[in-house]
């Protein structure tokens, strides 16, 4: 098929004359890529390279060049006789507003030619008000229909970005991240799969240095991503990094300092201290159901005299003020032939949990070469070295967070800080008598901080080399090799005496993970003008991708020399290795045909061969789309400057998972010679690829001289053939089996509005609003199974699930039982009848996804000052506060201070429907409702609706004397998570107690996996303030 | 012609086109890429012994399964331990399906496939085959004694729904397998098979032979009420062939015993530790008031081995099973005021009031009880009372049962053993929060009347089976001669009177109701009653 195009266009003649070289620049001296430069009156033409340069052989003395490019006004430029250079500036074509978008595989497209919606994020929005933990968190509120949550593991934690709703039941719902055309490894080393918790690992995206980002575009739909195949069904975040400029040397320096404070901590009572039933029991009693905190003197657990008085800030004071320093320098420069970009960034972050810190160095070198007129190369290498110390755990497990939350209300930080003594052989030993609410699990939080450590070291090298050969002016070939290798070393240290980990001598574990991704592609790109009005742009290529994962765990469960944390001291060293490899080979073709630069038809096709699948390993998918620039085709009122309508359909395939086709037996060490266990998952030799099908229609309009723009997109996506792991009757010998089934549908509408209501020389006001709603429906699972739990745990608080007829993320938990009339049941003693006691199945509590999301950025500019305010929010969805559930058992939350002496009348009925008027105490109620570790979720479920001022920045462009060497200087003051505008309330209106306002931040979750909607021992969100200085030389 | 001029790099394009075709057809390595390099794809003779080890490891309740499979259910129902954790309602008779499945699932996924691989590969007259067959019976008798009908005859044979089989047919198969295994093992006597891969007897066929016969005797007693005729045949055949007769004192609980007692070896490696020890540090269970009443009353020489003195008080104290959340918060019931499980199962984190370590450093590798010699003696004593030919008088066998149990727990002083056997001390009021009376009134000294004798046999068997709550609970349900305390409170709506009602079985698993629904529906018919805790099993004729 390609040959047809070759024939059509093979008409260029050759001549011998001079060669004109030059550059084509647009506004702000940005190079114009792929502009057509032709000699008027001849067929001689060329296109500009990535840095805007061209060279063209011309004949004649004084010649006229015609320079044209989408988005710019076509211009003629005269080159006098004898001259061989031409530097041309093109003016923006305001009518075309040719925003350039980097799409799949790094292919640059004019946004008006696209048949689907994209959204661009300016780098300044990422580097302005930085989130110290992960660059992805900076997208909150800025991307339509994105739900961004943060795993609770401190700086470097994995983040979760879900575009257009959840669709995958057991695989990632995270958007694919593409850097310079190639998907990066964005796996997370460990995340919570239940409310018991885990260690939240770093993800791949957290290594991205925001200072190196040149542009970022969000491809929300499958059409946009059809060329990526695997996982692109979740949408794609396309990041293009900076490269060198030529002729001039530019230096940018950015320095930022941010301080962070714990925000949204649990609200606690400060009236009652240690004890039970209103009575002080003894110094070891961990619960705060005791007598009034009257300041009397008592003997504390340290056997010292102390006052029995409230410690209102003992939780707040435990967390320190975090700090984050970011310093980066970028140097860019070069010649016509070679350009270089160098950057170094240093991030030093101290988390709010004492001892938790991150240090990261990022070095980038990028060299672009124009080796000959036709051949150019681009090469880059980035090395990231990151150290994280003392990551806090997340969840109900032994995290310092849940430990400090459980501190008795009369114990001060100073008392708790005396967490150990050094025994007669020099070993730190816990005061065995810390007043824990559950001594088998929770202990002195200071012990956890200073005598345990979770450390993570990451070395990552990412590099690529690409070469582009301009075969003829309208056809080029680009070949690319991309390598991405991450070395992670995770270690765990527990001093002897740590609760849950108290192995003789202590515990040390070391995990080494090497992740390697190799990507090679070759892409042929062509542009042809078939007639004056009919043009075609096309790509065809081949991709080879190989991803490898190798993990070795070394565990020293018990150390021969106490508290010497090296594998050398292991009492019983244990080694376990695991790994996987997936290879994908693909052929693809994509073409965009345009008529009069106003009607566009777009199509893509891809064939994958995936090593996960059974022979012949192959599957195909495609996309088609069309769009019309109505404002160019029809005469519209003058007030409408641009109007475009698009429609597209796409399928994206995914090749399943590694190693599902056969039985495998794995070895584990143990008594005797160890054991061989057969995998408990039934082999799945008939594995089929998953397919996400999506349709999208959008309208884009700009009115009033482009002062107001609106894009509205409707979409519907159906995720089918999902690879689902389901329980199988264990008597088959297998606990789990796989099937390809399901149809999960997301439909929704996205609106993006940008406006410049005021635009004068001194004052400007820009407004950017996004609003989206998403409706998810589980249309079908399979004949065999109708409900699948996401994650597990032993039913501590709530569990999200996917159930036929419901929505993704419906959460089930135990409830306050109702009778058939809907009346709440209470026991004869007045306590609530809960379904966890009656042994009934868990009931639906709510869905964990928002129904609507919105964000609004207002930017005000006055002379050299600019003020930017981002307000965002979500409407709908339910989050269960497992933390409150746990603490309520021990009389800690603020609400538990009410009715200590009794008087709660739940107003319920007994099983016969007779009203029970017996009143109960707060202790009776909350103990029954909570159950501490296994509770009735319904009492602790909150509407997650919330609005907040997410970001605030005030910038000032320092006026500079034109003679000094600094070209630009900007200083800004920034704040993040400034204040709540509204927060949701608990879903149950409990008689006597009413509704409570949520105290936690629903954006902080146990982890960045699919187990969402439960807050349990999660770190508090943080509010940050800072200063940023940016200098350009 | 013009075309060729346009493409000065025709060869480049040709190479490109060629490479695309070649590139995309390179799938010959895919099969190998998709295999896990760290595991084994095909099982051969060298791998089979490792499968046998795995089966031995898992069936008695592996490390993390032990608590949720056994301790929170059978161990509480038989009142070895009472629950301290307020968040575990199973001691108040609530069935927590998410936990109890740990007694079901691993048997089918980590024992059955292993044994079936051996059956498929080994000669049916080999000792290996017979040992695997004995272990099959051991594994599944524990499963059926929890639930009643279970998937059995069709298990592991393919298909997506596996039918349940009635318990009487399953027991008939047990007896058939044990009789056949006994015959085969006898033919291999004096040989060693599986060697160090046999985590119970180190490959000693003679002791496997005794184990097979002892298991047959156990099961004979189990069916003695429902099928007395067959019970007698099976028991007499077992005793005639030769059951366990001799316990050895255990100096090192982590080492393999030289006696007949069956313990599966545990290690400190990779979560392969002793299941009861795994719970040591969690403060979630303590000595029951029942154990406190009997052991304190008898001044039982095993008491210091079974339990540790309460941390705060230094005395042996227990609490009643089934205390409410509120009651558990009361001072006498807190963990520090009650007895922790004994040193063999306690880590070094367990210290007394003064910080002295009470646990042992190697307790993680303490061998886990599978079957003890004493039980066979008590089974024979009971058989003798039933008029079976058991090779001794009820009294002698009873005394030998006690003696062997004492030896097994390192009470080797003959004078102490004799004094205990002849002791007329009786259980005492445990002095617990509920002011419970003594659990029973029988002394150790063997009584005169049959009723007393049966209660004594049941009580001493209960003591000697410790801490194997699964067998103790099955035996309690079968005989009902042991006088346990009523559970203090029931949260289970089907048990409204704990003086007259006990848990008699575990309801079918929710998982099975979802994944194997039709089979479970049919199984309820086989059960012969509603799928509740109150429905007795086939052999439970009380």
């Amino acid at each position: 098929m390609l040959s047809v195009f070759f024939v059509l266009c093979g008409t260029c003649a050759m001549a011998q004359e001079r060669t004109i070289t030059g550059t084509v620049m647009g506004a702000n001296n940005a190079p114009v890529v792929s502009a057509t430069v032709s000699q008027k009156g001849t067929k001689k033409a060329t296109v500009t390279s990535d840095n805007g340069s061209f060279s063209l052989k011309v004949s004649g003395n004084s010649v006229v060049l015609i320079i044209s490019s989408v988005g710019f006004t076509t211009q003629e430029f005269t080159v006098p006789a004898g001259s061989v250079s031409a530097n041309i500036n093109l003016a923006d074509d305001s009518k075309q507003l040719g925003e350039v978008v980097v799409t799949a595989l790094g292919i640059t497209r004019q946004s008006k030619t696209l048949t689907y919606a994209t959204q661009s994020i300016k780098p300044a929005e990422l580097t302005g008000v930085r989130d110290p933990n992960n660059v992805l968190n900076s997208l909150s509120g800025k991307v339509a229909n994105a739900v961004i949550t943060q795993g609770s593991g401190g700086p470097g934690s994995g983040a979760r970005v879900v575009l257009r709703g959840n669709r995958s039941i057991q695989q990632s719902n995270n958007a694919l991240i593409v850097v310079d055309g190639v998907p990066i490894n964005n796996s997370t080393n460990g995340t919570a799969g239940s409310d018991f918790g885990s260690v939240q690992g770093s993800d791949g995206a957290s290594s991205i240095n925001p200072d190196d980002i040149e542009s970022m575009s969000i491809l929300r739909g499958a059409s946009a991503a059809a060329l990526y195949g695997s996982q692109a069904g979740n949408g794609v975040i396309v990041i293009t990094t900076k490269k060198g400029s030529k002729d001039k040397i530019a230096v940018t320096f950015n320095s930022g300092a941010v301080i962070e404070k714990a925000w949204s901590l649990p609200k606690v009572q400060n009236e009652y201290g240690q004890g039970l039933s209103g009575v002080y029991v003894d110094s070891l009693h961990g619960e705060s159901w005791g007598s009034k905190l009257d300041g009397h003197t008592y003997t504390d657990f340290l056997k010292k005299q102390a006052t029995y008085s409230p410690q209102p800030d003992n939780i707040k004071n435990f967390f320190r003020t975090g700090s984050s320093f970011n310093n980066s320098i970028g140097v860019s420069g070069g010649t016509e032939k070679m350009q270089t970009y160098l950057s170094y960034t240093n991030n030093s972050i101290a988390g709010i949990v004492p001892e938790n810190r991150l240090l990261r160095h990022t070095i980038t070198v990028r060299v672009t070469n124009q080796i000959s007129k036709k051949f150019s190369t681009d090469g880059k290498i980035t090395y990231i070295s990151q150290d994280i110390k003392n990551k806090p755990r997340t969840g109900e497990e032994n995290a310092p967070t849940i430990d400090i939350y459980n501190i008795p209300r009369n114990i001060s930080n100073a008392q708790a800080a005396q967490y150990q003594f050094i025994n007669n052989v020099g070993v730190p030993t816990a005061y065995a008598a810390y007043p824990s609410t559950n001594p088998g699990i929770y202990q002195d939080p200071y012990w956890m901080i200073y005598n345990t450590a979770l450390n993570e070291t990451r070395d990552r090298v990412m590099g690529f080399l690409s070469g582009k050969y301009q075969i003829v002016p309208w056809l080029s070939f680009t070949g690319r090799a991309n390598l991405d290798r991450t070395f992670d070393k995770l270690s765990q240290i527990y001093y002897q005496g740590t609760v849950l980990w108290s192995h003789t001598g202590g515990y040390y574990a070391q995990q080494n993970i090497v992740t390697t991704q190799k990507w090679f592609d070759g892409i042929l790109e062509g542009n042809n003008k078939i007639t004056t009005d009919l043009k075609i742009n096309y790509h065809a290529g081949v991709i080879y991708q190989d991803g490898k994962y190798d993990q070795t765990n070394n565990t020293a469960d018990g150390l021969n020399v106490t508290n010497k944390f090296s594998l050398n001291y292991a009492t019983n060293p244990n080694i376990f290795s695991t790994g996987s490899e997936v290879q994908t080979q693909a052929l693809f073709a994509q073409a965009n045909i345009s008529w009069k630069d106003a009607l566009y038809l777009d199509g893509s096709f891809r064939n994958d061969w995936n090593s996960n699948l059974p022979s012949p390993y192959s599957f195909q998918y495609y996309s088609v789309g069309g769009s019309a620039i109505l404002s160019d085709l029809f005469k519209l009122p003058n007030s409408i400057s641009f109007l475009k309508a698009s429609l597209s359909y796409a399928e994206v395939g995914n090749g399943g998972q590694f190693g599902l086709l056969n039985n495998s037996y794995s070895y584990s060490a143990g008594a005797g010679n160890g054991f061989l266990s057969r995998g408990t998952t039934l082999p799945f030799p008939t594995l089929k690829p998953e397919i996400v099908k999506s349709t999208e229609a959008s309208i884009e309009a700009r009115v009033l001289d482009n002062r107001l723009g609106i894009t509205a997109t409707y979409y519907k996506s159906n995720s089918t053939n999902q690879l689902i792991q389901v329980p199988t009757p264990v008597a088959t010998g297998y606990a789990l089996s796989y099937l390809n089934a399901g149809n999960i549908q997301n439909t929704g509408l996205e609106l993006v509005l940008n406006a410049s209501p005021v635009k004068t020389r001194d004052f400007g006001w820009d407004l950017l609003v996004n609003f989206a709603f998403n409706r998810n429906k589980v249309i079908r699972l399979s004949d065999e199974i109708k409900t699948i739990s996401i994650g597990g745990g032993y039913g501590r608080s709530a569990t999200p699930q996917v159930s036929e007829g419901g929505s993704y993320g419906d959460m089930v938990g135990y409830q306050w039982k109702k009778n058939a009339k809907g009346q709440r049941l209470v026991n004869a003693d007045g306590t609530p009848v809960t379904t966890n006691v009656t042994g009934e199945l868990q009931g639906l509590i709510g869905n964990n996804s928002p129904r609507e999301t919105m964000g609004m950025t207002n930017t005000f500019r006055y002379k050299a000052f600019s003020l930017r305010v981002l307000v965002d929010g979500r409407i709908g969805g339910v989050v269960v506060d497992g933390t409150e559930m746990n603490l309520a058992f021990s009389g800690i939350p603020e609400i538990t201070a009410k009715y200590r002496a009794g008087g709660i009348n739940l107003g319920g009925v007994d099983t016969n429907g007779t009203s029970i008027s017996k009143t109960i105490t707060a202790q009776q109620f909350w103990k029954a409702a909570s159950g501490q570790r296994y509770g009735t979720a319904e009492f602790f479920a909150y509407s997650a609706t919330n609005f907040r001022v997410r970001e605030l920045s005030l910038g000032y462009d320092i006026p500079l004397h034109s003679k000094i060497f600094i070209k630009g200087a900007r200083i800004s003051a920034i704040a993040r998570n400034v204040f709540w505008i509204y927060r949701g309330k608990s879903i149950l209106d409990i008689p006597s107690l009413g509704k409570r306002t949520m105290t936690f931040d629903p954006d902080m979750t146990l982890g960045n996996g699919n187990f969402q909607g439960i807050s349990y021992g999660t770190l508090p969100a943080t509010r940050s303030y800072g200063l940023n200085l940016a200098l350009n030389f | 012609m013009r075309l060729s001029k346009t493409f000065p790099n025709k060869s480049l394009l040709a190479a490109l086109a060629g490479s695309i075709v070649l590139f995309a057809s390179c799938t010959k390595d895919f099969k190998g890429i998709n295999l896990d390099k760290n595991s084994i794809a095909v099982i051969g003779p060298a791998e089979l012994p490792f499968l046998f080890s795995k089966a031995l490891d898992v069936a008695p309740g592996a490390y993390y399964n032990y608590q949720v499979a056994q301790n929170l259910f059978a161990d509480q129902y038989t009142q070895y331990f009472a629950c301290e954790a307020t968040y575990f309602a199973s001691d108040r008779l609530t069935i927590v399906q998410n936990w109890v499945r740990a007694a079901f699932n691993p048997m089918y996924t980590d024992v059955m496939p292993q044994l079936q691989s051996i059956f498929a590969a080994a000669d049916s007259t080999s000792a290996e085959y017979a040992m695997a067959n004995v272990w099959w019976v051991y594994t599944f008798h524990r499963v059926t004694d929890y639930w009643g009908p279970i998937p059995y005859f069709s298990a592991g044979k393919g298909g997506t729904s596996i039918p349940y089989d009635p318990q009487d047919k399953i027991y008939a198969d047990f007896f058939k397998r044990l009789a056949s295994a006994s015959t085969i093992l006898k033919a291999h006597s004096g040989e060693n098979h599986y060697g160090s891969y046999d985590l119970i007897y180190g490959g000693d066929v003679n002791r496997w032979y005794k184990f097979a016969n002892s298991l047959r005797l156990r099961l004979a007693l189990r069916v003695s009420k429902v099928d007395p005729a067959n019970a007698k045949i099976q028991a007499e055949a077992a005793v005639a062939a030769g059951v366990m007769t001799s316990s050895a004192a255990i100096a090192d609980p982590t080492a393999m015993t030289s006696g007949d007692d069956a313990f599966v070896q545990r290690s400190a490696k990779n979560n392969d530790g002793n299941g009861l020890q795994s719970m040591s540090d969690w403060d979630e269970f303590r000595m029951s008031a029942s154990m406190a009443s009997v052991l304190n009353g008898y001044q039982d020489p095993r008491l210091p081995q079974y339990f540790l003195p309460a941390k705060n008080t230094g005395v042996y104290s227990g609490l009643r099973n089934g205390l409410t959340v509120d009651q558990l918060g009361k001072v006498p019931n807190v963990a520090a005021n009650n007895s922790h499980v004994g040193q063999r199962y306690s880590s070094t984190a367990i210290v007394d009031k003064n910080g002295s370590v009470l646990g042992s450093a190697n307790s993680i590798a303490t061998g886990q009880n599978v079957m003890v010699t004493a039980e066979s003696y008590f089974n024979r004593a009971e058989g003798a009372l039933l008029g079976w030919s058991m090779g001794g008088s009820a009294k002698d066998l009873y005394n030998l049962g006690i003696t062997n149990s004492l030896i097994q727990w390192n009470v080797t002083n003959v004078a102490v053993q004799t004094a205990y056997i002849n002791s007329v001390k009786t259980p005492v009021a445990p002095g617990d929060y509920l002011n419970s009376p003594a659990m029973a009134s029988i002394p150790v000294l063997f009584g005169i009347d049959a009723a007393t004798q049966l209660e004594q046999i049941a009580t001493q068997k209960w003591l000697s089976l410790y801490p194997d709550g699964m067998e103790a609970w099955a035996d309690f349900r079968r005989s009902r001669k042991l006088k346990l305390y009523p559970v203090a409170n029931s949260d289970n709506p089907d048990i409204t009177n704990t003086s007259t009602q006990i848990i008699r079985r575990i309801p079918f698993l929710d998982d099975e109701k979802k994944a194997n629904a039709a089979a479970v529906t049919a199984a309820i018919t086989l059960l012969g009653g509603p799928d509740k805790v109150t429905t007795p099993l086939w052999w439970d004729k009380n």
Side-chain angles (χ1 to χ4, degrees), chain A residues 692-710:
Chain A
V692 177
K693 301 171 181 178
S694 79
T695 309
E696 165 174 332
S698 72
I699 287 187
E700 189 180 345
R702 301 209 177 92
V703 296
L704 305 171
D705 283 337
N706 297 318
R707 294 276 283 274
L708 177 65
I710 297 175

Side-chain angles (χ1 to χ4, degrees), chain B residues 44-386:
Chain B
E47 284 80 28
L48 288 170
F50 290 95
L51 296 181
F52 187 62
S53 295
K54 177 72 180 178
L56 297 180
D57 178 64
V58 171
Y63 199 51
Y64 284 126
N65 286 330
Y66 192 90
Q67 178 184 36
V68 283
Q70 171 172 333
N71 189 270
L72 290 168
F73 301 97
D75 289 0
Q76 292 174 349
Y77 300 158
T78 198
Q79 299 184 9
Y80 280 154
F81 307 109
C83 192
E84 272 290 348
T86 51
Y87 39 84
F88 292 154
S90 63
D91 203 13
R92 294 185 299 275
L93 307 181
T94 297
I95 300 294
V96 184
Q97 291 263 350
N98 278 344
W99 301 339
V100 75
R101 64 184 173 193
F104 189 88
N105 296 356
M107 305 307 142
Y108 289 100
T109 58
D110 285 332
V111 181
M112 183 187 76
Q114 278 71 4
L115 297 180
Q116 285 179 334
S117 296
I118 293 168
F119 295 148
D123 181 340
S124 63
T125 60
S126 66
E128 283 87 354
Y129 188 99
M131 287 156 80
N133 221 358
V134 173
W135 198 247
W136 173 279
V137 176
Y138 173 80
T139 303
F140 286 104
H141 94 282
R142 286 159 60 96
V143 183
T144 184
D145 289 351
Y146 250 35
W147 281 277
I150 56 167
Y152 186 78
F153 292 106
S154 306
K157 293 185 177 163
T160 53
S161 175
I162 311 294
Y164 281 52
D165 298 298
Q167 197 174 31
D168 57 341
K169 296 240 163 52
I170 294 169
Y171 261 75
D173 187 68
F174 287 165
F175 287 124
K176 205 168 97 190
R177 284 176 185 256
L178 289 175
S180 141
S182 179
T183 309
I184 295 165
L185 289 169
K186 183 159 192 164
H188 290 276
S189 72
E191 298 174 12
N192 186 301
H193 292 275
Y194 282 131
S196 58
Y197 296 90
D198 169 11
L199 306 178
I200 296 178
Y201 294 127
D204 180 352
V205 168
N206 289 4
R207 281 189 286 166
W208 270 94
Y209 177 64
K210 286 184 173 189
F211 179 82
N213 297 328
S214 303
L215 184 57
R216 192 175 178 188
L217 175 63
R218 173 192 280 188
L219 300 184
L221 260 296
R222 192 88 90 238
V223 303
S224 59
K225 287 186 181 172
V226 69
D227 189 0
N230 189 40
K232 182 169 189 285
I233 294 166
Q234 297 296 338
E236 288 179 347
V239 171
V243 297
M244 295 179 184
T245 51
S246 132
S247 287
I250 296 172
D252 175 6
T254 68
M256 203 172 266
T257 176
S258 60
D260 290 342
D261 305 292
F263 300 103
V264 66
Q265 277 196 303
R266 295 299 186 192
S267 74
K269 297 172 193 162
N270 197 33
N271 296 334
D272 174 44
N274 182 291
L276 188 55
Q277 196 273 358
S278 75
M279 306 166 55
S280 160
D281 300 350
W282 301 339
D283 277 348
E284 291 176 337
F285 72 114
R286 283 292 183 270
M287 183 189 200
S288 71
S290 314
M291 280 305 233
S293 169
V294 177
L295 294 171
N296 278 323
Y298 288 164
Q299 293 179 10
D300 198 298
R302 290 167 291 191
L303 175 54
Q305 298 281 334
Y306 282 17
F307 293 99
L308 301 175
K311 185 173 179 178
N312 283 352
T313 61
V315 300
Y316 293 100
S317 307
L319 63 163
R320 284 279 294 275
N321 288 84
L323 297 181
T324 62
V325 173
D326 211 33
Q327 288 170 331
L328 285 170
K330 305 296 183 194
V331 175
N333 297 326
V334 301
N337 286 331
N338 289 285
S339 287
H340 192 275
V341 67
Q343 188 193 29
R344 283 188 191 182
Y345 308 101
S346 291
S347 82
T348 49
I350 306 305
V351 293
D352 69 9
K353 212 174 176 177
N354 305 318
S356 303
V357 173
L358 298 178
S360 69
N362 294 322
S363 57
I364 190 167
T366 292
Q368 197 159 307
N369 281 45
V370 174
M371 191 153 53
V372 292
T373 304
E375 183 200 337
S376 285
Y377 281 112
F378 293 122
N379 286 337
R380 288 164 69 188
E382 188 176 343
L385 290 179
L386 291 168

Side-chain angles (χ1 to χ4, degrees), chain A residues 111-117 600 624-630 642-649 695-700 711-714:
Chain A
S111 85
K112 73 176 244 180
T113 72
L114 299 177
T115 60
Y116 46 81
Y600 297 91
V624 286
S627 64
I629 316 287
L630 300 172
F642 182 79
L643 182 66
K644 173 182 160 186
S646 325
L647 181 68
S648 66
Y649 173 79
T695 309
E696 165 174 332
S698 72
I699 287 187
E700 189 180 345
T711 306
T713 310
Y714 165 84

Side-chain angles (χ1 to χ4, degrees), chain A residues 502 542 544 572 585 659 665 671 731, chain B residues 20 23 34 40 87 156 268 272 281:
Chain A
S502 56
V542 51
Y544 168 97
N572 288 293
Q585 298 169 6
Y665 293 79
Chain B
I20 286 174
F23 201 52
N34 199 33
I40 296 168
Y87 39 84
D272 174 44
D281 300 350

Side-chain angles (χ1 to χ4, degrees), chain A residues 797-813:
Chain A
S797 53
T799 308
Q801 66 175 29
V802 178
S803 189
E804 207 166 281
S807 297
Y808 191 107
D810 283 345
M811 291 195 295
V812 291

Side-chain angles (χ1 to χ4, degrees), chain A residues 438 469 472 477 502 504 542 544 572 574 578-579 583 585 587 611 658-659 665 668 670-671 673 677 729-731 733 933, chain B residues 6 9 16 20 23 26 30 33-34 38-40 43 50 54 87 108 151 156 160 196-197 267-268 270 272 281 348:
Chain A
N438 195 331
Y469 189 81
V472 286
F477 175 76
S502 56
T504 305
V542 51
Y544 168 97
N572 288 293
N574 185 38
T578 181
Q583 204 177 91
Q585 298 169 6
L587 281 178
S611 63
F658 171 77
Y665 293 79
S668 57
N673 307 293
S677 319
V730 288
R933 303 179 59 214
Chain B
T6 323
N9 286 288
L16 173 70
I20 286 174
F23 201 52
C26 272
F30 273 17
I33 287 170
N34 199 33
N38 294 295
S39 62
I40 296 168
I43 288 295
F50 290 95
K54 177 72 180 178
Y87 39 84
Y108 289 100
T160 53
S196 58
Y197 296 90
S267 74
N270 197 33
D272 174 44
D281 300 350
T348 49

